[in-house]
Amino acid sequence: MTDTPTTDTSETIDYSKTLYLPQTDFPMRAGLPEKEPGMVKRWQDMDLYRKLREEAAGREKFVLHDGPPYANGNIHIGHALNKILKDVINRSFQMRGYDANYVPGWDCHGLPIEWKIEEQYRAKGKNKDEVPVNEFRRECRDFAAHWIKVQGSEFQRLGVIGDFDNPYTTMAYHAESRIAGELLKFAMSGQLYRGSKPVMWSVVERTALAEAEVEYQDYESDTIWVKFPVASLAQPVADAAPALDGAALDLVEAHVVIWTTTPWTIPGNRAVSYSPRIAYGLYEVTAAENAFGPQPGEKLIFADALAEDCAAKAKVTLNRIHSVSAEQLGMLTLSHPFKGLGGGYEFPVPMVAGEHVTDDAGTGFVHTAPGHGREDFDAWMEAAADLRARGVDTTIPFTVDDAGFFTKDAPGFGPGREGGAARVIDDNGKKGNANQAVIDELIKR
């Protein structure tokens, strides 16, 4: 019998000594919160940006056109992602032999800066309208200048290299003068004209809004269905115009029904849009639960896909009579539902084809107020030449002023209305009485 050697030992083996690892002075932990400020300070002390420009003098230029951030607060993660990625691109081109001169810039105009100054006024009990406009603008400039300095420091803290001592700003007088000069060139060459189109508008601020400045929230709207009586059925002027038949003549006794969540736009209605891609039908009301609204015997035109849903919501029973073609719809001229109110709305309301019309909801028709929506405006302008040939006045009314009140272009709801003009939105951005005024008048009729 022999003794078996034992492997038990109290000695601890340091396995790191059994590995051939590279030797480095780098610490195990990066310590970036302490190290990064030191790196940035070193680059600034050595004037790295200037050295890069001197070294790259004469090289082919690489210019990154950087959309400027808005100068109204501290940077956020979106700024960081944007600027760091662009800095990586600039550095890579500099290392590849280009002169990659990065000049940061800032957008200094617009509503957000004005709103911040107004917040300061409200905190002090000041009224913006009582502040001289030049003083207000100066405070906006000072506000923007402050945040340009703050954001510039924050971008450099991220390690971004650029000409932060000489940024471009939209509020620089030189930049503003160049913009004015270029605009004058357009005018002198005949390329500048005056037109109109619907824009987002702030009644509170009395200013136009950019799409990017608008934030949408859930809102409970007033929804209405409105009947537009068919006034006439005209033979269109075309070489291959279809002949009028009995089915088409039935439409003269009918109503085209629209659905909208903005009752206040009805005074601005000038047309009803339909889609040639949608199947429509003429329906007769055979029974009605309510004493108001559609009554038995009335004929209504709906998109076939929506007729049943509309009947259920209106609490009526419908009987489909026959199909209505897109060609027949194009022949129709309607009357405005407010015809005669306040001596107005006597104009014809044409039917126009629109790409924006669907049968996903509503009635399959879109009430078209060209002064209140971009899609309505585009449909109206696209049909304008044909409408003028039919004798339709294509002038777009301005039914709501900059304070949200109905104007004289909205008879029955404007300045001549008992109790004064109805208002769409008040100075606090809250719903006014315009919707209810329109709904009440529709019920009367």
Side-chain angles (χ1 to χ4, degrees):
M1 185 173 189
T2 59
D3 292 333
T4 303
T6 181
T7 56
D8 292 340
T9 178
S10 59
E11 182 182 352
T12 302
I13 300 174
D14 183 0
Y15 286 101
S16 66
K17 296 179 179 179
T18 69
L19 301 176
Y20 291 100
L21 297 176
Q23 298 299 311
T24 177
D25 293 329
F26 283 109
M28 291 296 293
R29 296 182 180 275
L32 296 181
E34 296 78 27
K35 193 168 188 64
E36 285 182 352
M39 293 171 62
V40 172
K41 183 178 185 304
R42 176 171 175 268
W43 292 341
Q44 292 173 341
D45 290 345
M46 66 186 293
D47 200 356
L48 179 60
Y49 173 78
R50 181 183 60 79
K51 289 182 179 296
L52 290 171
R53 300 284 68 74
E54 292 175 351
E55 180 185 286
R59 295 182 187 175
E60 181 180 352
K61 291 188 178 296
F62 171 78
V63 179
L64 189 149
H65 293 284
D66 184 16
Y70 203 72
N72 71 329
N74 295 98
I75 65 173
H76 51 66
I77 190 63
H79 292 106
L81 177 64
N82 180 294
K83 281 292 185 287
I84 290 172
L85 289 176
K86 290 175 179 177
D87 186 57
V88 169
I89 292 171
N90 275 316
R91 287 172 181 263
S92 69
F93 272 87
Q94 180 76 20
M95 295 168 70
R96 288 160 58 185
Y98 290 85
D99 180 8
N101 181 19
Y102 174 63
V103 180
W106 275 270
D107 181 359
C108 314
H109 293 95
L111 189 60
I113 288 176
E114 295 181 16
W115 186 255
K116 289 293 186 180
I117 298 303
E118 289 181 36
E119 283 183 343
Q120 296 176 12
Y121 286 171
R122 285 191 289 273
K124 299 175 183 177
K126 295 174 66 175
N127 184 348
K128 171 201 169 184
D129 296 333
E130 297 175 357
V131 177
V133 64
N134 286 340
E135 179 182 337
F136 178 68
R137 289 175 178 171
R138 178 184 57 75
E139 291 190 57
C140 289
R141 279 183 167 273
D142 292 344
F143 182 89
H146 165 74
W147 285 108
I148 287 171
K149 184 176 180 180
V150 171
Q151 289 187 5
S153 296
E154 292 173 335
F155 288 140
Q156 292 179 77
R157 173 64 182 82
L158 295 176
V160 177
I161 298 295
D163 193 2
F164 285 93
D165 291 334
N166 300 288
Y168 74 88
T169 64
T170 60
M171 70 177 182
Y173 294 120
H174 173 70
E176 292 181 335
S177 67
R178 288 298 296 268
I179 292 170
E182 294 302 313
L183 189 61
L184 288 174
K185 289 180 182 179
F186 288 131
M188 293 172 66
S189 62
Q191 299 178 72
L192 189 65
Y193 68 94
R194 182 173 185 173
S196 63
K197 68 175 182 180
V199 295
M200 296 288 186
W201 183 264
S202 170
V203 168
V204 177
E205 294 298 319
R206 304 291 199 274
T207 184
L209 299 173
E211 291 286 346
E213 293 174 328
V214 178
E215 295 182 2
Y216 292 92
Q217 298 177 345
D218 289 338
Y219 178 77
E220 187 172 327
S221 302
D222 297 313
T223 302
I224 59 173
W225 283 259
V226 184
K227 298 183 299 182
F228 281 69
V230 175
S232 64
L233 180 65
Q235 181 76 27
V237 180
D239 295 336
L244 298 179
D245 55 20
L249 294 174
D250 283 344
L251 303 180
V252 177
E253 304 173 355
H255 296 78
V256 171
V257 183
I258 67 93
W259 169 85
T260 182
T261 57
T262 54
W264 63 270
T265 62
I266 293 292
N269 174 276
R270 289 301 182 268
V272 172
S273 297
Y274 65 94
S275 171
R277 301 187 302 273
I278 294 176
Y280 295 92
L282 178 66
Y283 293 81
E284 182 176 359
V285 179
T286 58
E289 295 183 23
N290 298 319
F292 59 89
Q295 296 301 303
E298 291 189 25
K299 294 178 180 178
L300 310 173
I301 306 174
F302 291 103
D304 288 331
L306 297 166
E308 183 178 348
D309 181 59
C310 290
K313 290 178 178 176
K315 297 182 178 181
V316 300
T317 302
L318 297 177
N319 175 51
R320 191 177 192 277
I321 301 174
H322 59 69
S323 298
V324 180
S325 67
E327 290 77 12
Q328 291 170 336
L329 289 174
M331 299 178 196
L332 300 182
T333 297
L334 314 177
S335 293
H336 198 285
F338 289 146
K339 183 177 180 179
L341 176 64
Y345 308 100
E346 299 288 346
F347 47 82
V349 178
M351 298 285 291
V352 298
E355 293 296 323
H356 61 299
V357 183
T358 69
D359 58 0
D360 295 335
T363 66
F365 295 103
V366 174
H367 129 67
T368 301
H372 294 314
R374 185 56 190 262
E375 290 178 330
D376 291 12
F377 175 82
D378 290 341
W380 180 256
M381 296 304 294
E382 197 171 306
D386 290 338
L387 294 176
R388 284 192 290 268
R390 292 165 54 182
V392 176
D393 182 4
T394 57
T395 302
I396 297 176
F398 292 88
T399 55
V400 180
D401 66 17
D402 64 348
F405 288 98
F406 278 122
T407 69
K408 61 180 179 60
D409 285 351
F413 304 99
R417 172 176 173 268
E418 183 178 351
R423 197 175 193 187
V424 180
I425 300 176
D426 65 20
D427 287 330
N428 296 315
K430 303 298 183 181
K431 183 174 72 173
N433 61 344
N435 272 2
Q436 194 58 51
V438 170
I439 293 171
D440 290 345
E441 189 59 42
L442 286 169
I443 292 174
K444 293 178 186 177
R445 308 172 78 83

